[in-house]
Amino acid sequence: MKFSLKQLQVFVATARSESISEAARELHMSQSAASESLRTLESSYDIQLFDRAGKKLILNAFGQHIRDLAENLLTQAT
């Protein structure tokens, strides 16, 4: 499976804000596109990166580990 830099950007932005809507605004994309990007990332690898509490997304332990790797990859890509 492959992932895109956009998926990593959505993931990191969502992790920072704990909100897909906020991440979408930050990345200048629709909320539905950001949500789909995150859903595809999680389902492609059969993983859960966030614990969901209503509309709030809380990074779980696995997500925190992946966040560090994702931030490093994004830094190297720019």
Side-chain angles (χ1 to χ4, degrees):
M1 294 285 166
K2 292 183 181 181
F3 53 84
S4 69
L5 290 178
K6 181 56 86 178
Q7 287 174 317
L8 294 183
Q9 289 173 322
V10 170
F11 165 64
V12 170
T14 303
R16 270 196 303 264
S17 65
E18 297 183 336
S19 165
I20 291 177
S21 297
E22 290 292 322
R25 272 193 289 281
E26 177 185 326
L27 297 171
H28 307 287
M29 59 192 304
S30 70
Q31 183 274 332
S32 60
S35 183
E36 178 64 19
S37 178
L38 186 58
R39 186 196 65 74
T40 300
L41 179 64
E42 288 182 317
S43 67
S44 293
Y45 293 95
D46 196 27
I47 56 173
Q48 187 173 344
L49 300 167
F50 296 91
D51 293 326
R52 283 140 173 100
K55 290 188 176 190
K56 190 171 186 177
L57 299 175
I58 303 164
L59 205 57
N60 63 28
F62 185 70
Q64 288 190 21
H65 174 71
I66 298 301
R67 179 183 179 177
D68 293 338
L69 298 173
E71 287 175 336
N72 287 334
L73 282 171
L74 290 170
T75 299
Q76 291 175 19
T78 56

